[in-house]
Amino acid sequence: MRTADPGGFALRPLDPLTESELVHDWVTHPASASWLMQHATLPDVERACMAVAAADHRDAFLGLYRGVPAFLMERYDPRYVELVGLYEPLPGDVGTRLLAAPSHVHIPGFGIGALTAVLRELFADPATERVVAEPDVRDRAAHARNEAVGFRAQTLVQKPEKEALLSFCTRDRFAAATAARADRSARTGRGRGDGPPRPRPRTPYRAGQGTWGDL
C-alpha cells in the first residue's frame, strides 16, 4: 500500500527496522496515553512493531503529509484482534486506529484530510465493506471528525485502555460525505489545497484526551 492523496497525504507500510524510534517518540508522548505505551522503552516499541509486521491479522502504515511523517495508521481484522467478543463483525469489516504525531502546530483541516486519505485507501480494497473505529467515548472532537467522513456511532464497548464508542463507516456513507464536503468547498472556494495553512498553537493537552486521530 502506497497512495498519494490530493490533499498532500500519502500512506506506506511502516518499516519496523528503521522507523521504530520515530514511533517510540510518538507513543510515549502524553497525548498518546490510550495506546498504553507511556513507559515503553525503545526495545519495547521495536518488538511491538516487529510483532505487528509479522502478524496475520493486523498491519501498520506510516502516514505522510507533504512528504513528512505525520501519523501512524493501524489496520486490523476485528474478528481476531482488538474487538473480539465486543461486537458481532460482519463480512468485510476492517478496523483502523490512527495516531497523530505530537505537534505544537495546528494545521486547519489536517485531521479530516488524513482520515479521508485513510478511508479512501481502505475502501480501495473491494473486500472492505465497513470500516470500524473505536474512539474514546470522551473524545468529542474525534466523534465529530468521524461523523464528518461518514462514520455513525453505534454502541459503547469497554476496552482495557478506554470506554470506546464503536462507530462504523460504510463505503456509501464515505462516498456521500466526501461528495458533500467537496460541494461545500466548491461553493465557498475553500478547498484543501488553497494556499499554505496558517499555523496556530494546538489546544493544550488534558489528561485523558487523545490526539485528533486517536480512533
Side-chain angles (χ1 to χ4, degrees), residues 49-133:
C49 289
M50 292 296 291
V52 170
D56 293 329
H57 304 300
R58 70 197 317 159
D59 39 21
F61 302 88
L62 190 67
L64 309 176
Y65 179 63
R66 297 182 178 178
V68 177
F71 62 95
L72 179 69
M73 188 271 275
E74 187 176 25
R75 177 180 61 184
Y76 64 88
D77 188 333
R79 296 175 299 173
Y80 302 102
V81 295
E82 293 295 338
L83 295 173
V84 177
L86 297 180
Y87 89 108
E88 189 63 37
L90 298 179
D93 278 3
V94 174
T96 190
R97 301 173 71 205
L98 275 73
L99 179 68
S103 173
H104 296 293
V105 175
H106 174 81
I107 300 174
F110 176 86
I112 289 178
L115 192 52
T116 297
V118 166
L119 290 174
R120 183 175 289 118
E121 182 59 33
L122 294 177
F123 283 123
D125 182 349
T128 301
E129 295 295 337
R130 287 196 308 181
V131 176
V132 186

Coordinates of all heavy atoms in Angstrom, one line a residue, residues 49-133:
C49 N 6.6 -3.3 17.0 CA 6.5 -3.0 15.6 C 6.8 -4.3 14.8 O 6.2 -4.6 13.8 CB 7.4 -1.9 15.2 SG 6.9 -0.3 15.8
M50 N 7.8 -5.1 15.2 CA 8.1 -6.3 14.6 C 7.0 -7.3 14.7 O 6.7 -8.0 13.7 CB 9.4 -6.9 15.2 CG 10.7 -6.1 14.9 SD 11.1 -6.0 13.1 CE 11.6 -7.7 12.8
A51 N 6.3 -7.4 15.8 CA 5.2 -8.3 16.0 C 4.1 -7.9 15.1 O 3.4 -8.8 14.5 CB 4.8 -8.2 17.5
V52 N 3.8 -6.6 14.9 CA 2.7 -6.2 14.0 C 3.1 -6.6 12.6 O 2.2 -7.1 11.8 CB 2.4 -4.7 14.2 CG1 1.5 -4.2 13.1 CG2 1.8 -4.4 15.5
A53 N 4.3 -6.4 12.2 CA 4.8 -6.7 10.9 C 4.6 -8.2 10.6 O 4.4 -8.6 9.4 CB 6.2 -6.2 10.7
A54 N 4.8 -9.0 11.6 CA 4.7 -10.5 11.4 C 3.3 -11.0 11.6 O 3.1 -12.2 11.3 CB 5.7 -11.1 12.3
A55 N 2.4 -10.2 12.1 CA 1.1 -10.7 12.4 C 0.2 -11.0 11.2 O 0.4 -10.4 10.1 CB 0.3 -9.6 13.3
D56 N -0.7 -11.9 11.3 CA -1.6 -12.3 10.2 C -2.8 -11.3 10.1 O -3.4 -11.2 9.1 CB -2.1 -13.7 10.4 CG -1.0 -14.7 10.3 OD1 -0.1 -14.5 9.5 OD2 -1.1 -15.8 11.0
H57 N -3.2 -10.7 11.2 CA -4.5 -10.0 11.2 C -4.4 -8.5 11.5 O -5.4 -7.9 11.9 CB -5.4 -10.7 12.3 CG -5.6 -12.1 12.1 ND1 -6.2 -12.6 10.9 CD2 -5.3 -13.2 12.8 CE1 -6.2 -13.9 11.0 NE2 -5.7 -14.3 12.1
R58 N -3.2 -8.0 11.4 CA -3.0 -6.5 11.6 C -1.7 -6.1 10.9 O -0.8 -6.9 10.7 CB -3.0 -6.1 13.1 CG -1.7 -6.6 13.8 CD -1.9 -6.5 15.4 NE -2.6 -5.4 15.8 CZ -3.3 -5.3 17.0 NH1 -3.3 -6.3 17.8 NH2 -3.9 -4.2 17.4
D59 N -1.7 -4.8 10.5 CA -0.5 -4.2 9.9 C -0.5 -2.8 10.2 O -1.5 -2.2 10.6 CB -0.3 -4.5 8.4 CG -1.6 -4.5 7.7 OD1 -2.6 -3.8 8.1 OD2 -1.7 -5.0 6.6
A60 N 0.7 -2.1 10.0 CA 0.8 -0.7 10.4 C 1.4 0.0 9.2 O 2.2 -0.5 8.4 CB 1.8 -0.6 11.6
F61 N 1.0 1.3 9.1 CA 1.4 2.2 8.0 C 1.8 3.5 8.5 O 1.2 4.0 9.5 CB 0.2 2.3 7.0 CG -0.2 1.0 6.4 CD1 -1.2 0.3 7.1 CD2 0.3 0.5 5.2 CE1 -1.6 -0.9 6.6 CE2 -0.1 -0.7 4.7 CZ -1.1 -1.4 5.4
L62 N 2.7 4.1 7.8 CA 3.2 5.5 8.2 C 2.4 6.4 7.3 O 2.4 6.3 6.1 CB 4.7 5.6 8.0 CG 5.3 6.9 8.5 CD1 5.2 7.0 10.1 CD2 6.7 7.1 8.1
G63 N 1.8 7.4 7.9 CA 1.1 8.5 7.1 C 2.0 9.7 6.9 O 2.6 10.1 7.9
L64 N 2.1 10.2 5.7 CA 2.9 11.3 5.4 C 2.0 12.5 5.0 O 1.0 12.3 4.4 CB 3.9 11.0 4.2 CG 4.7 9.8 4.4 CD1 5.5 9.6 3.1 CD2 5.6 9.8 5.6
Y65 N 2.4 13.7 5.4 CA 1.8 14.9 5.0 C 2.8 15.8 4.3 O 3.8 16.2 4.9 CB 1.1 15.6 6.1 CG 0.4 16.9 5.7 CD1 -0.7 16.9 4.9 CD2 0.9 18.1 6.2 CE1 -1.3 18.1 4.5 CE2 0.2 19.3 5.8 CZ -0.8 19.3 5.0 OH -1.5 20.4 4.6
R66 N 2.6 16.0 3.0 CA 3.6 16.7 2.2 C 5.0 16.2 2.4 O 6.0 16.9 2.5 CB 3.5 18.2 2.5 CG 2.2 18.8 2.2 CD 2.1 20.3 2.5 NE 0.8 20.8 2.1 CZ 0.4 22.1 2.2 NH1 1.2 23.0 2.8 NH2 -0.8 22.5 1.9
G67 N 5.1 14.8 2.4 CA 6.3 14.1 2.5 C 6.9 13.9 3.8 O 8.0 13.3 4.0
V68 N 6.3 14.5 4.9 CA 6.8 14.4 6.2 C 6.0 13.4 7.1 O 4.7 13.5 7.0 CB 6.8 15.8 6.9 CG1 7.3 15.7 8.3 CG2 7.6 16.8 6.1
P69 N 6.6 12.5 7.8 CA 5.8 11.6 8.7 C 4.9 12.4 9.6 O 5.4 13.3 10.3 CB 6.9 10.9 9.5 CG 8.1 10.9 8.5 CD 8.1 12.2 7.9
A70 N 3.6 12.0 9.6 CA 2.7 12.8 10.4 C 1.7 12.0 11.2 O 1.1 12.5 12.1 CB 1.9 13.7 9.4
F71 N 1.5 10.7 10.9 CA 0.6 9.9 11.7 C 0.9 8.4 11.4 O 1.5 8.0 10.4 CB -0.9 10.3 11.4 CG -1.3 10.0 10.0 CD1 -1.9 8.8 9.6 CD2 -1.2 11.0 9.0 CE1 -2.4 8.6 8.3 CE2 -1.6 10.8 7.7 CZ -2.2 9.6 7.4
L72 N 0.4 7.6 12.4 CA 0.5 6.2 12.3 C -0.8 5.6 12.1 O -1.8 6.0 12.8 CB 1.2 5.7 13.6 CG 1.3 4.2 13.7 CD1 2.4 3.7 12.8 CD2 1.7 3.8 15.2
M73 N -1.0 4.7 11.2 CA -2.3 4.0 10.9 C -2.1 2.5 11.1 O -1.2 1.9 10.6 CB -2.8 4.4 9.5 CG -4.2 3.9 9.3 SD -4.4 2.2 8.7 CE -4.2 2.4 6.9
E74 N -3.0 2.0 11.9 CA -3.0 0.5 12.1 C -4.3 0.0 11.5 O -5.4 0.5 11.8 CB -2.9 0.2 13.6 CG -2.8 -1.3 13.8 CD -2.6 -1.7 15.3 OE1 -3.0 -0.9 16.1 OE2 -2.0 -2.7 15.6
R75 N -4.2 -1.0 10.7 CA -5.3 -1.7 10.1 C -5.4 -3.1 10.7 O -4.4 -3.8 10.8 CB -5.2 -1.8 8.6 CG -6.3 -2.6 7.8 CD -6.0 -2.6 6.3 NE -4.7 -3.3 6.0 CZ -4.2 -3.4 4.8 NH1 -4.8 -2.8 3.8 NH2 -3.1 -4.1 4.6
Y76 N -6.6 -3.5 11.1 CA -6.7 -4.9 11.7 C -8.0 -5.5 11.4 O -9.0 -4.9 10.9 CB -6.6 -4.7 13.2 CG -7.6 -4.0 14.0 CD1 -8.8 -4.6 14.4 CD2 -7.5 -2.6 14.2 CE1 -9.8 -3.9 15.1 CE2 -8.5 -1.9 14.9 CZ -9.6 -2.5 15.3 OH -10.6 -1.8 15.9
D77 N -8.0 -6.8 11.6 CA -9.2 -7.6 11.3 C -10.0 -7.8 12.7 O -9.5 -8.5 13.6 CB -8.9 -9.0 10.8 CG -10.1 -9.8 10.4 OD1 -11.2 -9.6 10.9 OD2 -9.9 -10.7 9.5
P78 N -11.1 -7.1 12.9 CA -11.8 -7.2 14.2 C -12.3 -8.5 14.6 O -12.7 -8.7 15.7 CB -12.9 -6.1 14.0 CG -13.2 -6.1 12.6 CD -11.8 -6.3 11.9
R79 N -12.3 -9.5 13.7 CA -12.7 -10.8 14.1 C -11.7 -11.5 15.0 O -12.0 -12.4 15.7 CB -12.9 -11.7 12.8 CG -14.0 -11.2 11.9 CD -14.0 -12.1 10.7 NE -12.8 -12.0 9.9 CZ -12.5 -12.7 8.8 NH1 -13.3 -13.6 8.4 NH2 -11.3 -12.6 8.2
Y80 N -10.4 -11.0 14.9 CA -9.3 -11.7 15.6 C -8.6 -10.8 16.6 O -8.0 -11.4 17.5 CB -8.3 -12.2 14.6 CG -8.9 -13.2 13.6 CD1 -9.2 -12.7 12.3 CD2 -9.2 -14.5 13.9 CE1 -9.8 -13.6 11.4 CE2 -9.8 -15.3 13.0 CZ -10.0 -14.9 11.7 OH -10.6 -15.8 10.8
V81 N -8.6 -9.5 16.5 CA -7.9 -8.6 17.4 C -8.7 -7.4 17.7 O -9.6 -7.0 17.0 CB -6.5 -8.2 16.8 CG1 -5.6 -9.4 16.6 CG2 -6.7 -7.5 15.5
E82 N -8.3 -6.8 18.9 CA -8.9 -5.5 19.3 C -10.3 -5.6 19.8 O -10.7 -5.0 20.8 CB -8.7 -4.4 18.3 CG -7.3 -4.0 18.0 CD -6.6 -3.4 19.2 OE1 -7.3 -2.9 20.1 OE2 -5.4 -3.4 19.3
L83 N -11.2 -6.1 19.0 CA -12.7 -6.1 19.3 C -13.3 -7.4 19.5 O -14.5 -7.6 19.4 CB -13.4 -5.3 18.2 CG -13.0 -3.8 18.1 CD1 -13.7 -3.1 16.9 CD2 -13.4 -3.0 19.4
V84 N -12.5 -8.5 19.7 CA -13.0 -9.8 19.8 C -13.9 -9.9 21.0 O -13.6 -9.5 22.1 CB -11.9 -10.8 20.0 CG1 -12.4 -12.2 20.2 CG2 -10.9 -10.8 18.7
G85 N -15.2 -10.4 20.8 CA -16.1 -10.5 21.8 C -16.9 -9.3 22.2 O -17.8 -9.3 23.0
L86 N -16.6 -8.2 21.6 CA -17.2 -6.9 21.9 C -18.3 -6.5 21.0 O -19.2 -5.6 21.3 CB -16.2 -5.8 22.0 CG -15.1 -5.9 23.0 CD1 -14.1 -4.8 23.0 CD2 -15.7 -6.0 24.4
Y87 N -18.3 -7.1 19.8 CA -19.4 -6.9 18.9 C -19.4 -8.0 17.9 O -18.5 -8.8 17.8 CB -19.3 -5.5 18.2 CG -18.5 -5.5 16.9 CD1 -19.2 -5.4 15.6 CD2 -17.2 -5.6 16.9 CE1 -18.5 -5.3 14.5 CE2 -16.4 -5.6 15.7 CZ -17.1 -5.5 14.5 OH -16.4 -5.5 13.3
E88 N -20.5 -8.1 17.1 CA -20.6 -9.2 16.1 C -20.1 -8.7 14.7 O -20.9 -7.9 14.0 CB -22.0 -9.7 16.0 CG -22.2 -11.0 15.1 CD -21.4 -12.2 15.7 OE1 -21.4 -12.3 16.9 OE2 -20.9 -12.9 14.9
P89 N -18.9 -9.0 14.3 CA -18.4 -8.4 13.0 C -19.2 -9.0 11.8 O -19.6 -10.1 11.8 CB -16.9 -8.8 13.0 CG -16.9 -10.0 13.9 CD -17.9 -9.8 14.9
L90 N -19.3 -8.2 10.8 CA -19.9 -8.6 9.5 C -18.8 -8.9 8.5 O -17.7 -8.3 8.6 CB -20.8 -7.5 9.0 CG -22.0 -7.1 9.9 CD1 -22.8 -6.0 9.2 CD2 -22.9 -8.3 10.1
P91 N -19.1 -9.6 7.5 CA -18.1 -9.8 6.4 C -17.7 -8.5 5.8 O -18.6 -7.6 5.5 CB -18.9 -10.7 5.4 CG -19.9 -11.4 6.2 CD -20.3 -10.4 7.3
G92 N -16.4 -8.3 5.6 CA -16.0 -7.0 5.0 C -15.6 -6.0 6.0 O -15.3 -4.8 5.7
D93 N -15.8 -6.2 7.4 CA -15.4 -5.3 8.4 C -13.9 -5.2 8.5 O -13.2 -6.2 8.5 CB -16.0 -5.6 9.7 CG -17.4 -5.2 9.9 OD1 -18.0 -4.7 9.0 OD2 -18.0 -5.5 11.0
V94 N -13.4 -3.9 8.6 CA -12.0 -3.7 8.7 C -11.8 -2.6 9.8 O -12.5 -1.6 9.8 CB -11.3 -3.2 7.4 CG1 -9.8 -2.8 7.7 CG2 -11.4 -4.2 6.4
G95 N -11.0 -2.9 10.8 CA -10.8 -2.0 11.9 C -9.6 -1.1 11.6 O -8.6 -1.5 10.9
T96 N -9.6 0.1 12.2 CA -8.5 1.0 12.0 C -8.3 1.9 13.2 O -9.2 2.2 13.9 CB -8.6 1.9 10.7 OG1 -7.4 2.6 10.5 CG2 -9.7 2.9 10.9
R97 N -7.0 2.2 13.5 CA -6.7 3.1 14.6 C -5.6 4.1 14.0 O -4.8 3.7 13.2 CB -6.0 2.4 15.8 CG -6.9 1.3 16.4 CD -6.1 0.5 17.4 NE -5.9 1.3 18.6 CZ -4.9 1.0 19.5 NH1 -4.0 0.1 19.2 NH2 -4.7 1.8 20.5
L98 N -5.7 5.3 14.4 CA -4.8 6.4 13.9 C -4.2 7.1 15.1 O -4.8 7.3 16.1 CB -5.5 7.4 13.0 CG -5.6 7.0 11.5 CD1 -6.7 6.0 11.3 CD2 -6.0 8.3 10.7
L99 N -2.9 7.5 15.0 CA -2.3 8.3 16.0 C -1.5 9.4 15.3 O -0.6 9.1 14.4 CB -1.3 7.4 16.8 CG -0.5 8.1 17.9 CD1 -1.4 8.6 19.0 CD2 0.6 7.2 18.4
A100 N -1.8 10.6 15.6 CA -1.1 11.7 15.0 C 0.2 11.9 15.7 O 0.4 11.7 16.9 CB -1.9 13.0 15.1
A101 N 1.2 12.4 15.0 CA 2.5 12.8 15.5 C 2.3 14.0 16.5 O 1.5 14.9 16.2 CB 3.5 13.2 14.4
P102 N 2.9 14.0 17.7 CA 2.8 15.1 18.6 C 3.2 16.4 17.9 O 4.2 16.4 17.2 CB 3.7 14.7 19.8 CG 3.8 13.2 19.7 CD 3.7 12.9 18.2
S103 N 2.5 17.5 18.1 CA 2.9 18.7 17.4 C 2.3 19.9 18.2 O 1.3 19.8 18.9 CB 2.3 18.7 16.0 OG 2.5 20.0 15.4
H104 N 3.0 21.0 18.1 CA 2.6 22.2 18.8 C 2.0 23.2 17.7 O 1.6 24.3 18.0 CB 3.7 22.9 19.5 CG 4.3 22.1 20.6 ND1 3.6 21.9 21.8 CD2 5.5 21.5 20.7 CE1 4.3 21.2 22.6 NE2 5.5 20.9 22.0
V105 N 1.8 22.7 16.5 CA 1.3 23.4 15.4 C 0.0 22.8 14.9 O -0.1 21.6 14.7 CB 2.3 23.6 14.2 CG1 1.6 24.3 13.0 CG2 3.5 24.3 14.7
H106 N -1.1 23.6 14.8 CA -2.3 23.1 14.3 C -2.5 23.5 12.9 O -2.3 24.6 12.5 CB -3.5 23.8 15.1 CG -4.8 23.5 14.6 ND1 -5.5 22.3 14.9 CD2 -5.6 24.2 13.7 CE1 -6.6 22.3 14.2 NE2 -6.8 23.4 13.5
I107 N -2.8 22.5 12.0 CA -3.0 22.7 10.6 C -4.5 22.5 10.3 O -5.0 21.4 10.5 CB -2.1 21.7 9.8 CG1 -0.7 21.9 10.1 CG2 -2.4 21.9 8.3 CD1 0.2 20.8 9.4
P108 N -5.1 23.6 9.9 CA -6.6 23.5 9.7 C -6.9 22.4 8.7 O -6.3 22.3 7.6 CB -6.9 24.9 9.1 CG -5.9 25.8 9.7 CD -4.6 25.0 9.8
G109 N -7.9 21.6 9.0 CA -8.3 20.5 8.1 C -7.5 19.3 8.1 O -7.8 18.3 7.4
F110 N -6.4 19.3 8.9 CA -5.4 18.1 8.9 C -6.1 16.8 9.3 O -6.0 15.8 8.6 CB -4.3 18.4 9.8 CG -3.3 17.2 9.9 CD1 -2.3 17.1 9.0 CD2 -3.4 16.3 10.9 CE1 -1.4 16.0 9.0 CE2 -2.5 15.2 11.0 CZ -1.5 15.1 10.0
G111 N -6.9 16.8 10.4 CA -7.5 15.6 10.9 C -8.4 15.0 9.9 O -8.3 13.8 9.6
I112 N -9.4 15.7 9.4 CA -10.3 15.2 8.4 C -9.6 14.8 7.1 O -9.9 13.8 6.5 CB -11.4 16.2 8.1 CG1 -12.3 16.3 9.4 CG2 -12.3 15.8 6.9 CD1 -13.5 17.3 9.2
G113 N -8.6 15.6 6.7 CA -7.9 15.2 5.5 C -7.1 13.9 5.6 O -7.2 13.0 4.7
A114 N -6.5 13.7 6.8 CA -5.8 12.4 7.0 C -6.7 11.2 7.1 O -6.5 10.2 6.5 CB -4.9 12.5 8.2
L115 N -7.8 11.4 7.8 CA -8.8 10.4 7.9 C -9.5 10.0 6.6 O -9.7 8.9 6.3 CB -9.9 10.8 8.9 CG -10.9 9.8 9.5 CD1 -10.2 8.5 10.0 CD2 -11.8 10.4 10.5
T116 N -9.7 11.0 5.8 CA -10.2 10.8 4.4 C -9.3 10.0 3.6 O -9.7 9.1 2.9 CB -10.5 12.1 3.7 OG1 -11.5 12.8 4.5 CG2 -11.0 11.9 2.3
A117 N -8.0 10.3 3.7 CA -7.0 9.6 2.9 C -6.9 8.1 3.4 O -6.8 7.2 2.5 CB -5.6 10.2 3.1
V118 N -7.0 7.9 4.7 CA -7.0 6.5 5.2 C -8.2 5.7 4.7 O -8.1 4.6 4.2 CB -7.0 6.5 6.7 CG1 -7.3 5.1 7.3 CG2 -5.6 7.0 7.2
L119 N -9.4 6.3 4.8 CA -10.6 5.6 4.4 C -10.6 5.4 2.9 O -11.1 4.3 2.4 CB -11.9 6.4 4.8 CG -12.2 6.5 6.3 CD1 -13.3 7.4 6.5 CD2 -12.5 5.1 6.8
R120 N -10.1 6.3 2.1 CA -10.0 6.1 0.7 C -9.2 4.9 0.3 O -9.5 4.1 -0.6 CB -9.5 7.4 0.0 CG -9.4 7.3 -1.5 CD -8.9 8.6 -2.1 NE -10.0 9.7 -2.0 CZ -9.8 10.8 -1.3 NH1 -8.7 11.0 -0.7 NH2 -10.8 11.7 -1.3
E121 N -8.1 4.8 1.1 CA -7.2 3.6 0.8 C -7.8 2.3 1.3 O -7.8 1.3 0.6 CB -5.9 3.8 1.6 CG -4.9 2.7 1.4 CD -4.5 2.5 -0.1 OE1 -4.5 3.5 -0.9 OE2 -4.3 1.3 -0.5
L122 N -8.5 2.3 2.4 CA -9.1 1.1 2.9 C -10.3 0.6 2.0 O -10.4 -0.6 1.7 CB -9.7 1.3 4.3 CG -8.6 1.5 5.4 CD1 -9.3 1.8 6.8 CD2 -7.7 0.4 5.5
F123 N -11.0 1.6 1.5 CA -12.1 1.2 0.6 C -11.6 0.9 -0.8 O -12.4 0.5 -1.7 CB -13.2 2.3 0.6 CG -14.1 2.3 1.8 CD1 -14.2 3.4 2.6 CD2 -14.8 1.2 2.1 CE1 -15.0 3.4 3.7 CE2 -15.6 1.2 3.2 CZ -15.7 2.3 4.0
A124 N -10.4 1.2 -1.1 CA -9.8 0.8 -2.4 C -9.8 -0.7 -2.6 O -9.7 -1.3 -3.7 CB -8.4 1.4 -2.6
D125 N -9.8 -1.4 -1.4 CA -9.9 -2.9 -1.4 C -11.3 -3.3 -1.6 O -12.1 -3.0 -0.7 CB -9.3 -3.4 -0.1 CG -9.3 -4.9 0.0 OD1 -9.9 -5.6 -0.9 OD2 -8.7 -5.5 0.9
P126 N -11.7 -4.0 -2.7 CA -13.1 -4.3 -2.9 C -13.7 -5.2 -1.8 O -14.9 -5.2 -1.6 CB -13.0 -5.1 -4.2 CG -11.8 -4.7 -4.9 CD -10.8 -4.4 -3.8
A127 N -12.8 -5.8 -1.0 CA -13.3 -6.7 0.1 C -13.8 -5.9 1.3 O -14.5 -6.4 2.1 CB -12.3 -7.7 0.5
T128 N -13.4 -4.6 1.4 CA -13.8 -3.8 2.5 C -15.2 -3.2 2.3 O -15.5 -2.5 1.4 CB -12.8 -2.6 2.7 OG1 -11.5 -3.2 2.9 CG2 -13.2 -1.8 3.9
E129 N -16.1 -3.6 3.2 CA -17.5 -3.1 3.2 C -17.7 -2.0 4.2 O -18.5 -1.1 4.0 CB -18.5 -4.3 3.4 CG -18.4 -5.3 2.3 CD -18.9 -4.7 0.9 OE1 -19.6 -3.7 0.9 OE2 -18.5 -5.3 -0.1
R130 N -17.1 -2.2 5.4 CA -17.3 -1.2 6.5 C -15.9 -1.0 7.2 O -15.2 -2.0 7.4 CB -18.3 -1.7 7.6 CG -19.7 -1.7 7.2 CD -20.6 -1.9 8.5 NE -20.2 -3.0 9.4 CZ -20.9 -3.3 10.5 NH1 -21.9 -2.5 10.9 NH2 -20.5 -4.3 11.3
V131 N -15.7 0.2 7.6 CA -14.5 0.5 8.5 C -15.0 0.7 9.9 O -16.0 1.4 10.1 CB -13.8 1.7 8.0 CG1 -12.6 2.0 8.9 CG2 -13.2 1.4 6.6
V132 N -14.4 0.1 10.9 CA -14.7 0.1 12.2 C -13.8 1.0 13.0 O -12.5 0.8 12.9 CB -14.8 -1.3 12.9 CG1 -15.3 -1.2 14.3 CG2 -15.6 -2.2 12.0
A133 N -14.3 2.0 13.8 CA -13.4 2.8 14.6 C -13.9 2.7 16.1 O -15.0 2.3 16.3 CB -13.5 4.3 14.2

